[in-house]
Amino acid sequence: MTDLELDAFLRKYTAIEELLDDCSNPDDKEAVKQEYLELPSEILDEAMFIPPGQDITFSVHPRFSPVDTHRHSFIELIYIYSGECHQTINNNRVSMKKGELCILDTNTFHSIAETGRDDIIINCLMRKSYLDWAFLSRLSGNDIFSSFLTHAIYENKHSNEYILIHSGDNEKISRIMNAILCEYFDKQPCSGEIINSYMVILFAEMLRMYKGDVNERNYSALKNTKITDIIHYLQSNYKTVTLESTARHFNFNSNYLGKVLKKITGSTFIDLVHQIRLSQACILLRNSDVSVQTVANEVGYENINFFYRIFKRKYDCSPAEYRKSHSPALA
């Protein structure tokens, strides 16, 4: 798919958009909405909007109809491909123009005003698991931005922030988004891998641009140490790392560091290490045929029974079952 083909695809009306655009009488338009458009509930669950087996999905926002106030359990990235978009986010009026991006944390209340013919809005929905440790560890250089993402992933109840990226004049972001959308709407071999790679580049470019003001109340406790530096350290040393060794490396008291990490991520230090180890175990299970015992040892577990137990608790299946269902040969 070329950029021209993408543009034609995105601008093409759906059947409902054709009906709404043809309605000159407001009462007729309202009747069409009532008959064909299902109003969203207040809380939208990812199971309804992200297909099984996928961690990220893209869609074109429907034109000519407003969306009532709602929140969701997934992370949403909104991109204005064309025209403009007027939202109300946490009771704040937010207007976006062509080329701009907005990241909505989980449980963020927002609504979208009615859009016009040239207002093409792209919705990118991501499970929290999509932005894993490997993704976060690359986002160095702006700790407020990466801390926002960390908070979105590991805090379940109180996450309700958003970040607006004023990228309207950034041609690089426009090119990256076009490349992602071409791959997504015209899937080819390896499209998934290409999209994931572009997403890392997109977030890195957004990180460069971000100059907003996110509430830093939970992040100032680490002073000059970036949360992403700690994440990178844990990733590099996950086989043998301890709270004490991490605290020594960053010149913190171990009890203090444990409390701060718990406050930022919502998880204990050992739980964070388990998450990284299990993520690495999944990579080995998907891409090698080494024994489960070897996988457990490779990621830092000597007790195979303990490995089976926490793996089952995390993924609701055994390592062997995970390997069978996620084998590239079966994909």
Side-chain angles (χ1 to χ4, degrees):
M1 178 181 281
T2 65
D3 285 353
L4 288 176
E5 291 171 335
L6 173 67
D7 188 75
F9 172 81
L10 296 178
R11 294 184 185 279
K12 185 178 180 180
Y13 279 4
T14 64
I16 296 175
E17 286 175 337
E18 287 181 351
L19 287 174
L20 290 172
D21 192 36
D22 287 340
C23 291
S24 56
N25 186 308
D27 291 337
D28 292 339
K29 180 176 289 189
E30 189 62 31
V32 171
K33 294 177 185 177
Q34 291 292 333
E35 183 173 357
Y36 293 104
L37 295 178
E38 182 179 350
L39 297 177
S41 59
E42 181 182 291
I43 303 176
L44 306 184
D45 187 78
E46 64 182 30
M48 299 169 57
F49 294 89
I50 304 177
Q54 294 186 27
D55 291 321
I56 181 171
T57 184
F58 294 84
S59 62
V60 184
H61 183 82
R63 285 168 282 192
F64 310 121
S65 182
V67 176
D68 291 339
T69 300
H70 62 283
R71 57 189 171 122
H72 31 67
S73 63
F74 45 82
I75 298 169
E76 181 174 13
L77 175 67
I78 297 173
Y79 172 66
I80 311 304
Y81 176 85
S82 173
E84 58 187 16
C85 172
H86 302 286
Q87 297 186 77
T88 299
I89 308 176
N90 291 340
N91 296 318
N92 299 316
R93 178 76 169 174
V94 176
S95 294
M96 299 174 63
K97 63 181 182 180
K98 178 181 178 180
E100 293 190 332
L101 294 145
C102 180
I103 311 174
L104 296 170
D105 195 352
T106 54
N107 292 316
T108 303
F109 282 100
H110 74 122
S111 61
I112 300 178
E114 182 171 330
T115 54
R117 178 180 291 107
D118 295 322
D119 299 332
I120 301 176
I121 303 167
I122 305 299
N123 297 323
C124 170
L125 313 182
M126 295 169 279
R127 299 185 196 273
K128 293 194 292 182
S129 58
Y130 181 73
L131 302 176
D132 61 11
W133 287 99
F135 197 110
L136 287 173
S137 67
R138 305 185 190 188
L139 299 179
S140 59
N142 188 320
D143 207 43
I144 296 176
F145 187 97
S146 51
S147 292
F148 167 89
L149 295 176
T150 305
H151 192 240
I153 294 169
Y154 294 104
E155 190 69 39
N156 293 321
K157 295 182 180 179
H158 305 297
S159 300
N160 61 356
E161 303 282 1
Y162 67 94
I163 290 180
L164 181 63
I165 309 293
H166 297 288
S167 50
D169 298 324
N170 189 313
E171 293 184 2
K172 188 180 293 185
I173 282 185
S174 176
R175 291 196 300 270
I176 294 169
M177 282 301 305
N178 274 20
I180 291 172
L181 295 174
C182 284
E183 288 291 340
Y184 187 83
F185 291 116
D186 183 26
K187 288 186 173 61
Q188 304 292 325
C190 299
S191 283
E193 289 80 359
I194 292 173
I195 290 170
N196 291 338
S197 298
Y198 273 126
M199 287 299 292
V200 173
I201 297 171
L202 174 67
F203 270 80
E205 190 64 30
M206 290 163 62
L207 185 153
R208 284 180 174 178
M209 294 198 64
Y210 179 60
K211 297 178 181 179
D213 180 25
V214 177
N215 191 330
E216 297 183 62
R217 63 189 179 277
N218 286 338
Y219 314 123
S220 59
L222 289 176
K223 298 180 181 179
N224 296 323
T225 301
K226 299 182 190 308
I227 185 66
T228 44
D229 290 341
I230 297 177
I231 291 171
H232 182 73
Y233 181 82
L234 296 181
Q235 274 200 304
S236 300
N237 301 277
Y238 63 86
K239 291 184 182 180
T240 58
V241 72
T242 64
L243 178 59
E244 289 71 23
S245 65
T246 306
R248 282 197 303 272
H249 183 82
F250 291 101
N251 297 314
F252 284 113
N253 174 275
S254 58
N255 290 333
Y256 174 78
L257 179 60
K259 290 178 181 178
V260 171
L261 287 176
K262 171 69 173 178
K263 188 175 184 179
I264 292 176
T265 68
S267 299
T268 65
F269 176 86
I270 191 62
D271 284 341
L272 298 178
V273 174
H274 284 322
Q275 290 179 51
I276 298 173
R277 287 178 175 178
L278 292 175
S279 177
Q280 295 297 319
C282 287
I283 293 174
L284 288 174
L285 290 168
R286 290 196 304 266
N287 298 287
S288 75
D289 58 359
V290 298
S291 69
V292 173
Q293 176 75 63
T294 301
V295 169
N297 295 156
E298 281 294 315
V299 300
Y301 295 109
E302 295 181 3
N303 188 319
I304 187 65
N305 292 327
F306 179 70
F307 174 67
Y308 268 100
R309 187 162 63 250
I310 64 167
F311 192 97
K312 175 83 171 180
R313 185 172 63 199
K314 172 72 173 176
Y315 298 106
D316 199 30
C317 64
S318 70
E321 290 169 337
Y322 179 92
R323 167 175 275 167
K324 183 177 180 180
S325 62
H326 291 81
S327 171
L330 301 175

